[in-house]
Amino acid sequence: MDRSPDVVIVGAGIVGAAAAHVLTAEGLAVDVVDRGAPASGVTGAGMGHIVVMDDSPAQLQLTAYSRRLLDELAPELSASCELSRCGTLWIASGEAELEAVEAKQGAYAEAGIASEVLDGDDVARLEPELRRPLFGALRVPGDTVVYPPGLARWFLDRAVERGARLHLGTEIDSLGPREVRAGTTTISAGAVVNAAGPWSGRLSPGLPVTPRKGHLLITGRYSGFCRHQLVELGYLASAHDLSQDSVAFNLQPRPTGQIIIGSSRQAAGWDGAIDRSVLQKMVARAVEFVPGLAGLDVVRTWTGFRPATPDKLPLIGPWPDEDGPWILSGHEGLGIATALGTAQILADLMLERRPELDPAPFRAARA
Amino acid sequence: MTEWAASVVVVGAGPAGIAAAIRAEGAGRSVILIDQAQRPGGQIWRHRDRAALPRQARSWLQRLDRSSVRLLTGASVVDAEPSSRLRVDLGGRPLGVRWNDALVLATGSHERFVPFPGWTLPGVVGVGGAQALLKSGMDVAGMEVVLAGSGPLLLPVAATLSRAGANLTLVAEQAPLGRVIRFGAALWRSPSRWLDAARYRAGFLRTPYRTGTWVLRAEGEDRVREVTLTDGDGERTLPCDLLCTGFGLTPASELARLLGCATDGWRVKVDGVQATSEDGVYCAGEACGIAGAEIAILEGEIAGLAAAGDRAGAERLGRRRPPHDRFVAGLAQAFRLREELSALPAGTTLVCRCEDVPLERLRDFGSTREAKLHTRAGMGPCQGRICQPALQHFFGWGIDSVRPPLFPTSLSVLAAPEEDESPPPPTSIT
Amino acid sequence: MSVESEVGLTVDGETVSSAADITVAAALLNLGKWRFRRSVSGSPRTPLCGMGTCHECLVTVDGDRHRRACMIPVRAGMRIETDD
Ligand SMILES: Cc1cc2nc3c(=O)[nH]c(=O)nc-3n(C[C@H](O)[C@H](O)[C@H](O)COP(=O)(O)OP(=O)(O)OC[C@H]3O[C@@H](n4cnc5c(N)ncnc54)[C@H](O)[C@@H]3O)c2cc1C
Ligand SMILES: Cc1cc2nc3c(=O)[nH]c(=O)nc-3n(C[C@H](O)[C@H](O)[C@H](O)COP(=O)(O)OP(=O)(O)OC[C@H]3O[C@@H](n4cnc5c(N)ncnc54)[C@H](O)[C@@H]3O)c2cc1C
Ligand code: FES
């Protein structure tokens, strides 16, 4: 190595890539190492829903903040990021859920996020494929969808323009606070960031990040079949409960006219095989909401491992103590949506500035 | 989902699959034979008119008719579950097919294409593709046709086109004459192959057969109107309504790979009795190497016996098999693609036809998966079956993973729950 | 060859007749259809492989989109739409 960078980032997923983008913009010299290609980890498997979520106040703040940061970049993004302003519809499954719709709108309003309560007729007009009767929904018009590998690559390309170096196809065996080691090679740096996603615990043994398996499925091209990302209101509850396997209705129109159908959550270790019974449950749930899906062609199915933490918030900061290497991991099912916000908080902490959001809930050493 | 079961299930009703099914049935097993085409016979025996088939083919097809093998046609295998069950798309309805003892994969091959400017124009078809379309009723009488590609398949297809009344103006083989002759000479052990070749050549005597000649580009507004070829020195442009192009065959190993069977490149690895690396799963025919129908039949017979538990019988038959690997290697060597073919596509030539990805967007990447993630090449409905062999040829990249479904199929077929008692599909089962 | 009967089809709204016992792909080509589908960037495509692999022959059959024309036999009364 002819120069020792200020920061070496392990992982060229969306999280490491966003960090490289933000840190180089701050003028830091950055190296990014990945054992594979950019976005070849779970970022290549995710749905790319840039969504505001309110499972906890910290999550609400982080998702809202991150969405705003991405919106600010929107005019610069390349076509390959496939940014689509489709918005989200949170669908109520019965009268009983309408109260939850109202409550959600209140929470969003407090966080400065515009949303609109729709009645059943409005929903039917917006998305005619949804099964009747329809009770209502919360529409969040500012939510967007991206193509995660495209966005990760865009971040890395910007970083490289500002002098970042990529070491692709390089597997890191171990890391310390000031260096990473790959075989006999060592890269020393002012700081080390472990952004190895679901695998970050392998490089920082004891880190409370575990793989949470998810299945997705994509159809052929059916332009205009639906217009919004459609999510059942019960999704949050299903995502929240870590103790059991779950499926929830979550459907995303791609700019190609394809539809991605999700999603499942399982603690299944590192077995990436398609679990047919989970696939069946997931499809059954989707067809319950949108009967017309049953006749559409599936082109491919796949799985990915979300990097999950016990309290469902990402880890941002040094670990296990103030002298440890930096961790940027544990984004579970929201890494695409929150990569920019977490990268900004990381940069602020590294540069000893006060982050816009209170970083305490995300402190890596909380765990 | 309705479910059927048999002791032995065979996928692919080409020569290998038919032979496997007949042999397994002969050994006393119940057998289900599945093919996505409407008629048995695979790529070579699937004639609408059986009388036109050679005697050997007719005899196998008759044995199949008379057997108790349950033949399931128009049936695409779309998934293989670890629990010994195939999921089949039968005219848009799901059907489960369970194998109690053994599964034989006889899924054949795909045609290999090399992209060149204009290859996506309407009227540019595969060589095997033209053959398949003719067999399924395409009328080529009076059309101007040029055949340009590589491999032994050019000859029978040229003969068929001529017989069907096409005005076949040129058959261009990219391999140089010397290699083609050496390959022919190596065939002296199998006189039937010589006879075939001579008969095929006689079938298009009025058309020149040029070795060392390859296609440069196809042109036309909204369909192909002319093709330009070269022998390395001059260029020659011919008018055409149909350009048939194909550069040999690639084993169709998707189902085997989905089941976890070990492969060597595209080929499924098998032992002396056609057993794959997976318990109870056998493979026969072109899926384990491109060697022609003769060997496919023999491999099918071996696999059928082994699948039925007659290992001794399978081994006995196995000893009759000519040195397979030598033939496979000889074929690959004789018709290996010349360097110039790598330079055919322009930057704007599409390589992935499903997603319209041009060559120039692919050059920057290092692997099939990386290129796929960042350009969508291989993400379309053919799942890379057409572009991956081309990418392998251009860049030496590897083979992407296989995931269900094997072919696009409706959600209701792929994910119908087992316990769902849907009415049985309308069936052509016999 | 066995006696070849004809079947009536509707192709892109027009009533036509085709040989029976052939595939939709063959029938469309025989009718001079040189555009089965439109590619993602809008160019016309016709069958390449003829055997179910390439998916260049996708058409709408009886309202069902993305069907492989080379794998489906024509049936009397079938409605086919090209240029999807
Ligand atoms: C089914 C599913 C749907 C999802 N949908 C969404 C969604 O709609 N919205 C959303 O925001 N999020 C979604 N997610 C979550 C999102 O994909 C992840 O949170 C995010 O991609 C995490 O990014 P990452 O960079 O941390 O991890 P990764 O993308 O996995 O990056 C880690 C990188 O580290 C590399 N690496 C690991 N170990 C080493 C080593 N030892 N040496 C070198 N390199 C190494 C890997 O190769 C990898 O490239 C979804 C996830 C799944 C599974
Ligand atoms: C397009 C093409 C045209 C050819 N034309 C000729 C020719 O004219 N003359 C010649 O000598 N050789 C020809 N060949 C070579 C010839 O096919 C082989 O030599 C011989 O047929 C090999 O037999 P097989 O049983 O291994 O495969 P095949 O005959 O290819 O049979 C495989 C069968 O499996 C079926 N199948 C595959 N996957 C599935 C699935 N998932 N679900 C259900 N069914 C499935 C296919 O529909 C096919 O019918 C051709 C090959 C191809 C690919
Ligand atoms: S022509 Fe290739 S799939 Fe029909």
Side-chain angles (χ1 to χ4, degrees):
Chain A
M1 294 291 130
D2 44 18
R3 97 181 155 164
S4 180
D6 297 319
V7 182
V8 60
I9 299 170
V10 181
I14 192 81
V15 170
H21 167 68
V22 173
L23 293 175
T24 52
E26 296 284 357
L28 296 178
V30 172
D31 278 21
V32 181
V33 190
D34 200 293
R35 62 180 174 208
S40 58
V42 64
T43 297
M47 252 184 168
H49 190 197
I50 306 298
V51 58
V52 174
M53 288 254 231
D54 57 342
D55 186 48
S56 63
Q59 188 191 64
L60 179 57
Q61 288 209 318
L62 182 62
T63 49
Y65 176 53
S66 301
R67 198 186 82 180
R68 194 190 86 211
L69 294 178
L70 189 65
D71 273 341
E72 287 167 6
L73 281 182
E76 294 171 46
L77 297 181
S78 63
S80 53
C81 298
E82 295 183 16
L83 179 76
S84 147
R85 303 195 169 279
C86 60
T88 307
L89 283 190
W90 293 91
I91 316 286
S93 314
E95 294 287 349
E97 276 186 8
L98 290 179
E99 235 167 82
V101 169
E102 301 278 347
K104 199 172 178 70
Q105 184 186 36
Y108 279 26
E110 236 165 86
I113 296 297
S115 67
E116 173 189 5
V117 176
L118 305 177
D119 66 22
D121 292 341
D122 296 335
V123 180
R125 211 164 337 98
L126 285 177
E127 295 292 352
E129 293 285 345
L130 280 166
R131 182 195 296 274
R132 318 298 155 80
L134 284 162
F135 302 93
L138 186 71
R139 175 157 178 261
V140 187
D143 285 354
T144 56
V145 162
V146 296
Y147 178 57
L151 183 59
R153 215 183 153 82
W154 186 87
F155 283 145
L156 286 174
D157 286 348
R158 297 295 76 72
V160 167
E161 280 169 11
R162 297 184 211 108
R165 296 185 303 192
L166 301 186
H167 310 269
L168 302 177
T170 304
E171 173 134 24
I172 297 301
D173 303 316
S174 60
L175 51 76
R178 304 246 174 306
E179 79 220 352
V180 301
R181 290 170 291 272
T184 54
T185 311
T186 299
I187 305 179
S188 306
V192 166
V193 177
N194 177 355
W199 300 275
S200 50
R202 292 192 182 162
L203 292 172
S204 301
L207 194 72
V209 174
T210 51
R212 206 168 178 208
K213 181 175 174 179
H215 286 74
L216 292 179
L217 163 169
I218 192 157
T219 69
R221 294 173 185 248
Y222 299 92
S223 291
F225 184 84
C226 67
R227 292 194 291 248
H228 297 77
Q229 176 124 9
L230 304 176
V231 190
E232 66 174 290
L233 205 61
Y235 177 89
L236 232 48
S238 123
H240 185 92
D241 188 353
L242 279 174
S243 65
Q244 42 182 325
D245 296 356
S246 65
V247 298
F249 168 65
N250 188 352
L251 186 144
Q252 176 177 91
R254 300 295 315 168
T256 53
Q258 293 172 284
I259 294 156
I260 296 186
I261 298 167
S263 58
S264 68
R265 282 182 157 78
Q266 272 175 293
W270 293 101
D271 176 7
I274 299 286
D275 182 331
R276 271 70 174 186
S277 72
V278 170
L279 198 68
Q280 286 167 16
K281 281 187 204 127
M282 198 172 90
V283 168
R285 189 81 183 144
V287 170
E288 232 172 84
F289 279 84
V290 181
L293 283 175
L296 306 193
D297 279 353
V298 187
V299 170
R300 196 170 171 97
T301 56
W302 67 89
T303 63
F305 300 111
R306 302 179 185 88
T309 59
D311 63 3
K312 287 155 295 280
L313 290 174
L315 308 172
I316 311 172
W319 185 88
D321 50 43
E322 291 308 305
D323 301 324
W326 294 75
I327 306 292
L328 197 57
S329 178
H331 294 72
E332 215 267 349
L334 285 171
I336 316 300
T338 59
L340 260 185
T342 57
Q344 191 58 54
I345 293 172
L346 174 85
D348 290 337
L349 294 175
M350 276 187 163
L351 297 169
E352 301 184 346
R353 289 185 309 223
R354 216 178 114 101
E356 192 176 318
L357 295 192
D358 174 12
F362 313 110
R363 237 168 28 94
R366 76 182 180 275
Chain B
M1 180 172 67
T2 309
E3 185 171 298
W4 283 328
S7 166
V8 176
V9 171
V10 181
V11 182
I18 292 174
I22 297 285
R23 283 296 194 159
E25 188 235 18
R29 299 305 173 109
S30 59
V31 179
I32 294 177
L33 174 60
I34 305 174
D35 201 296
Q36 60 172 334
Q38 297 298 328
R39 242 180 261 112
Q43 300 314 331
I44 174 165
W45 294 347
R46 184 157 49 231
H47 276 264
R48 286 190 300 150
D49 178 15
R50 263 203 202 171
L53 284 170
R55 183 134 44 89
Q56 186 196 32
R58 282 200 313 262
S59 129
W60 278 106
L61 288 167
Q62 275 158 14
R63 285 169 78 179
L64 180 63
D65 290 342
R66 286 197 297 262
S67 73
S68 69
V69 170
R70 286 188 285 164
L71 175 64
L72 198 53
T73 55
S76 297
V77 174
V78 294
D79 192 11
E81 295 161 35
S83 56
S84 300
R85 187 180 52 201
L86 302 173
R87 191 173 276 257
V88 174
D89 178 334
L90 189 60
R93 306 257 197 100
L95 174 72
V97 177
R98 182 175 293 286
W99 68 95
N100 291 330
D101 299 302
L103 174 68
V104 180
L105 309 176
T107 46
S109 54
H110 305 300
E111 195 159 15
R112 177 161 69 153
F113 296 98
V114 176
F116 53 85
W119 79 301
T120 55
L121 280 173
V124 179
V125 302
V127 172
Q131 178 92 332
L133 289 165
L134 280 164
K135 284 177 182 170
S136 65
M138 175 176 63
D139 181 5
V140 293
M143 279 193 189
E144 300 273 318
V145 182
V146 172
L147 229 106
S150 195
L153 193 54
L154 297 189
L155 297 179
V157 177
T160 312
L161 282 162
S162 275
R163 212 180 316 120
N167 181 21
L168 184 63
T169 51
L170 179 69
V171 178
E173 163 63 60
Q174 60 86 34
L177 182 62
R179 278 205 257 129
V180 175
I181 287 180
R182 252 174 286 137
F183 175 71
L187 283 186
W188 64 271
R189 277 172 195 282
S190 55
S192 67
R193 285 204 160 107
W194 263 113
L195 278 177
D196 279 352
R199 206 172 41 236
Y200 292 143
R201 184 62 185 104
F204 62 101
L205 273 179
R206 288 206 306 271
T207 308
Y209 175 70
R210 297 254 182 281
T211 51
T213 304
W214 63 97
V215 58
L216 286 177
R217 61 184 172 272
E219 284 161 304
E221 268 293 293
D222 42 12
R223 57 181 276 205
V224 63
R225 301 290 180 182
E226 53 184 42
V227 53
T228 302
L229 304 106
T230 184
D231 57 5
D233 292 330
E235 288 189 11
R236 192 171 159 203
T237 299
L238 295 170
C240 69
D241 304 312
L242 200 64
L243 169 63
C244 309
T245 179
F247 293 83
L249 304 172
T250 314
S253 51
E254 292 81 17
L255 176 53
R257 284 185 282 138
L258 184 63
L259 283 159
C261 301
T263 52
D264 170 12
W266 302 97
R267 289 170 62 180
V268 180
K269 282 193 190 164
V270 289
D271 66 8
V273 295
Q274 306 296 132
T276 69
S277 64
E278 293 302 295
D279 249 9
V281 180
Y282 298 80
C283 186
E286 311 241 272
C288 23
I290 304 304
E294 202 84 22
I295 287 178
I297 295 170
L298 188 55
E299 288 183 354
E301 295 189 73
I302 298 167
L305 287 177
D310 180 2
R311 200 182 161 91
E315 281 171 352
R316 219 172 311 121
L317 261 188
R319 285 194 286 276
R320 282 198 355 223
R321 178 174 33 194
H324 181 152
D325 289 348
R326 263 207 359 237
F327 181 82
V328 171
L331 187 71
Q333 176 62 20
F335 296 100
R336 76 168 186 275
L337 301 186
R338 58 194 317 132
E339 295 260 305
E340 290 94 330
L341 294 177
S342 303
L344 277 187
T348 53
T349 302
L350 300 182
V351 175
C352 170
R353 304 171 58 122
C354 291
E355 299 293 329
D356 284 1
V357 185
L359 185 68
E360 62 199 4
R361 287 196 53 214
L362 293 161
R363 287 206 176 99
D364 298 341
F365 299 99
S367 69
T368 307
R369 179 162 153 78
E370 186 183 359
K372 173 176 162 173
L373 272 177
H374 294 287
T375 67
R376 300 189 53 84
M379 281 195 180
C382 95
Q383 286 288 295
R385 284 176 176 87
I386 304 295
C387 65
Q388 276 184 34
L391 292 173
Q392 193 174 41
H393 171 67
F394 291 135
F395 305 121
W397 293 347
I399 303 170
D400 191 32
S401 60
V402 181
R403 293 284 204 175
L406 287 165
F407 298 101
T409 187
S410 69
L411 264 92
S412 59
V413 168
L414 185 70
E418 281 89 278
E419 62 274 14
D420 213 49
E421 272 309 318
S422 55
T427 161
S428 45
I429 206 161
T430 50
Chain C
M1 180 144 297
S2 53
V3 205
E4 203 142 282
S5 52
E6 302 260 311
V7 290
L9 312 171
T10 309
V11 177
D12 296 329
E14 257 180 72
T15 312
V16 296
S17 82
S18 157
D21 193 30
I22 72 176
T23 59
V24 170
L28 291 176
L29 290 170
N30 294 349
L31 288 164
K33 286 277 170 192
W34 291 101
R35 170 155 66 208
F36 278 50
R37 70 173 192 107
R38 222 181 255 273
S39 77
V40 303
S41 61
S43 62
R45 297 288 168 80
T46 52
L48 176 70
C49 75
M51 55 174 283
T53 304
C54 72
H55 290 72
E56 286 289 22
C57 64
L58 301 185
V59 294
T60 301
V61 175
D62 291 334
D64 230 355
R65 290 172 68 183
H66 306 331
R67 297 274 75 86
R68 290 177 291 178
C70 69
M71 302 303 290
I72 302 176
V74 292
R75 249 181 302 97
M78 192 177 249
R79 273 181 305 113
I80 302 161
E81 276 115 54
T82 65
D83 200 18
D84 193 352

